[in-house]
Amino acid sequence: MSEIVENPRRGIVAAVIGLGSMGLGMARSMKRAGLDVVGFDVASAAVDRFVADGGRGAATPAGAAENADVVVCVVVNGAQTEAVLFGADGVASAMKTGAVFISSATMDPSVARALSQRVAALDLHYLDAPISGGASKAASGELTIMASGSARAFDTARPALDAMAAKLYELGDAAGTGAAFKMINQLLAGVHIAAACEAMTFAAKQGLDLARVYEVITASAGNSWMFENRMPHVLAGDYAPLSAIEIFVKDLGIVQDMARSERYPVPLTAAALQMYLAASGAGMGRDDDSSLARLYAQLSGAELPGLIGERQSR
């Protein structure tokens, strides 16, 4: 008779606060791995989607966190994370002693350190664990997670982390370290997207075949992951938001604030941030971050796929 192997994740309760494109995929990945997952989102339709997948839904963050071993918070920034923890119906008052709060929002490292101290005072664990990989990686359980926190926090969170991540980087025992690593990533990502959009629209201004530009550049030294990932949106003229302009308004703003406090120059970040701000001011804030190409087209008269009508309507 074959021996029955017990699933070590079975019986572990995970709450996910924030069921957007990232959080929903993370919740589904944990459920697929055998965790008991309950979700909450301010948009009831997002909760309904997760329940339709066989998950459990909650009416409040506190309701989701009751009896949870792990609470995964997938919101936009530090202020929203603080509200999830300590606001009305916040999870901190509902979590059981020894549970771990996994913070996945992008935020200033100093904010992560402050939240960690407040959580620790309640006999809870805080794992500073920002994420990278996009919605598709979240859905497949193949995120990159940049995490820092105590050994106990990692041990408690391990089943959830293993279910969500293909690459888990354990970056030390101090909250804030994971956040700092994420900000370095965001600096590069934001600048690379801006450079890709500038280059592709400049190619359009030269009258080049943009599909051939994409083919040649992705096989050449000038390629970047962001060029390869974002420029198909430009080629398709499809700016439906997978990652919005406002994300980089926020994130590059954080980088610039951090740099200013350290008296460190970040001229490339500053230039890219101005372009994201301009795109937001032009009404593209909720559109895909590849919309910087649209902004360049408006400024230069370059013609991009799908944008001739848009330019005439403005």
Side-chain angles (χ1 to χ4, degrees), residues 307-314:
L307 294 190
I308 295 176
E310 176 183 274
R311 193 163 58 247
Q312 292 174 342
S313 69
R314 287 183 181 271

Side-chain angles (χ1 to χ4, degrees), residues 178-205:
F181 270 81
K182 179 62 185 291
M183 296 320 305
I184 300 303
N185 181 79
Q186 294 307 91
L187 183 162
L188 291 166
V191 169
H192 287 173
I193 291 169
C197 291
E198 182 174 302
M200 185 62 89
T201 313
F202 187 49
K205 189 68 175 176

Side-chain angles (χ1 to χ4, degrees), residues 55-80:
R56 294 195 289 130
T60 64
E66 289 177 0
N67 302 315
D69 302 286
V70 178
V71 176
V72 184
C73 182
V74 197
V75 294
V76 171
N77 55 28
Q80 288 188 5

Side-chain angles (χ1 to χ4, degrees), residues 47-308:
V47 179
D48 292 342
R49 280 195 297 272
F50 184 55
V51 171
D53 289 340
R56 294 195 289 130
T60 64
E66 289 177 0
N67 302 315
D69 302 286
V70 178
V71 176
V72 184
C73 182
V74 197
V75 294
V76 171
N77 55 28
Q80 288 188 5
T81 303
E82 182 178 21
V84 166
L85 276 163
F86 304 111
D89 295 314
V91 302
S93 62
M95 292 171 66
K96 63 186 182 183
T97 300
V100 61
F101 181 85
I102 300 178
S103 173
S104 293
T106 301
M107 66 183 73
D108 189 302
S110 65
V111 175
R113 288 190 289 269
L115 291 176
S116 175
Q117 291 170 3
R118 293 175 67 183
V119 167
L122 299 174
D123 291 326
L124 303 170
H125 302 290
Y126 184 99
L127 198 65
D128 175 20
I131 55 181
S132 183
S136 63
K137 296 293 187 182
S140 62
E142 296 177 303
L143 288 169
T144 294
I145 300 182
M146 304 162 236
S148 61
S150 68
R152 183 68 180 275
F154 273 108
D155 288 344
T156 304
R158 186 77 56 190
L161 296 170
D162 288 346
M164 295 185 291
K167 294 182 180 179
L168 170 64
Y169 291 98
E170 300 185 29
L171 302 171
D173 58 5
T177 304
F181 270 81
K182 179 62 185 291
M183 296 320 305
I184 300 303
N185 181 79
Q186 294 307 91
L187 183 162
L188 291 166
V191 169
H192 287 173
I193 291 169
C197 291
E198 182 174 302
M200 185 62 89
T201 313
F202 187 49
K205 189 68 175 176
Q206 305 306 305
L208 301 181
D209 179 334
L210 297 188
R212 292 287 282 173
V213 170
Y214 181 79
E215 178 186 354
V216 170
I217 296 303
T218 54
S220 302
N223 190 36
S224 68
W225 190 92
M226 284 301 187
F227 186 96
E228 192 163 344
N229 182 265
R230 296 304 203 268
M231 290 308 96
H233 306 180
V234 177
L235 294 177
D238 182 1
Y239 299 94
L242 298 180
S243 175
I245 287 284
E246 290 294 348
I247 294 296
F248 281 103
V249 170
K250 170 182 69 75
D251 290 356
L252 295 188
I254 293 172
V255 172
Q256 189 156 278
D257 289 344
M258 291 168 62
R260 181 168 52 248
S261 70
E262 297 286 344
R263 298 299 186 265
Y264 183 82
V266 283
L268 298 182
T269 298
L273 175 57
Q274 291 304 308
M275 295 305 295
Y276 290 106
L277 285 167
S280 178
M284 305 176 194
R286 296 183 179 276
D287 296 339
D288 193 76
D289 51 33
S290 60
S291 290
L292 285 192
R294 297 160 69 193
L295 182 66
Y296 275 109
Q298 288 180 13
L299 293 172
S300 67
E303 293 188 2
L304 293 176
L307 294 190
I308 295 176

